[in-house]
């Protein structure tokens, strides 16, 4: 297995307090989608938060770019269903990805910092 082909995404996000319940519902439904995906495609999909805060850390890993894009395709209807007012403070992306995929993710980070690591030791 090539570790470079593994796609990793870490995103620090802030949820508006009025959207917290909707965000929790959406995360729960995303977990159901992840559980139904092809075994071995989604390696990690976790959302961490502080108990008294609306800040979260989303940690994801995928077997390769195709698995990542397939996941995005599967959750897109859910993302359209839930209008969440949130801010991506920082997104770090690692792995072997096409310029098009990197560009799409970079555009999703409106005001935050976006970092793409495409080399590995």
């Amino acid at each position: 297995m090539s570790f470079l082909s593994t796609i990793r995404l870490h995103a620090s996000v802030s949820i508006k307090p009025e959207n917290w319940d909707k965000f929790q519902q959406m995360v729960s439904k995303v977990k159901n989608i992840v559980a139904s995906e092809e075994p071995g495609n989604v390696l990690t999909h976790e959302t961490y938060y502080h108990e008294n805060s609306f800040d979260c850390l989303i940690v994801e890993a995928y077997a390769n770019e195709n698995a990542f894009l397939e996941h995005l395709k599967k959750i897109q209807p859910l993302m359209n269903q839930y209008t969440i007012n949130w801010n991506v403070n920082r997104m770090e992306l690692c792995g072997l990805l096409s310029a098009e995929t990197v560009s799409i993710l970079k555009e999703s980070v409106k005001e935050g910092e976006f970092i793409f690591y495409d080399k590995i030791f």
Side-chain angles (χ1 to χ4, degrees):
M1 174 174 153
S2 168
F3 289 108
L4 186 57
S5 67
T6 302
I7 306 305
R8 293 175 175 82
L9 181 147
H10 292 181
S12 168
V13 300
S14 297
I15 315 303
K16 298 294 183 194
E18 63 271 13
N19 288 177
W20 185 248
D21 290 338
K22 279 197 326 188
F23 178 75
Q24 288 178 304
Q25 291 170 10
M26 184 184 73
V27 168
S28 177
K29 290 185 178 188
V30 168
K31 285 183 177 189
N32 291 336
I33 292 171
V34 167
S36 73
E37 293 190 57
E38 190 72 33
N41 279 356
V42 181
L43 306 176
T44 301
H45 199 286
E46 301 166 331
T47 302
Y48 298 90
Y49 66 96
H50 292 288
E51 187 172 0
N52 295 315
S53 166
F54 300 103
D55 296 327
C56 297
L57 178 64
I58 300 169
V59 178
E60 302 177 14
Y62 302 88
N64 53 47
E65 183 174 17
N66 287 338
F68 179 53
L69 293 174
E70 188 64 29
H71 170 75
L72 293 179
K73 188 185 305 181
K74 288 182 178 188
I75 67 166
Q76 190 59 52
L78 190 62
M79 299 301 286
N80 292 339
Q81 177 186 346
Y82 284 87
T83 306
I84 305 290
N85 191 357
W86 64 344
N87 184 53
V88 178
N89 304 314
R90 179 182 174 107
M91 181 184 289
E92 295 182 2
L93 185 64
C94 309
L96 187 59
L97 291 161
S98 68
E100 180 181 4
T101 299
V102 173
S103 178
I104 290 167
L105 288 164
K106 186 174 184 176
E107 289 174 17
S108 74
V109 181
K110 305 281 188 241
E111 299 174 14
E113 182 178 14
F114 178 84
I115 302 170
F116 174 52
Y117 300 94
D118 62 343
K119 305 287 186 236
I120 189 169
F121 288 102

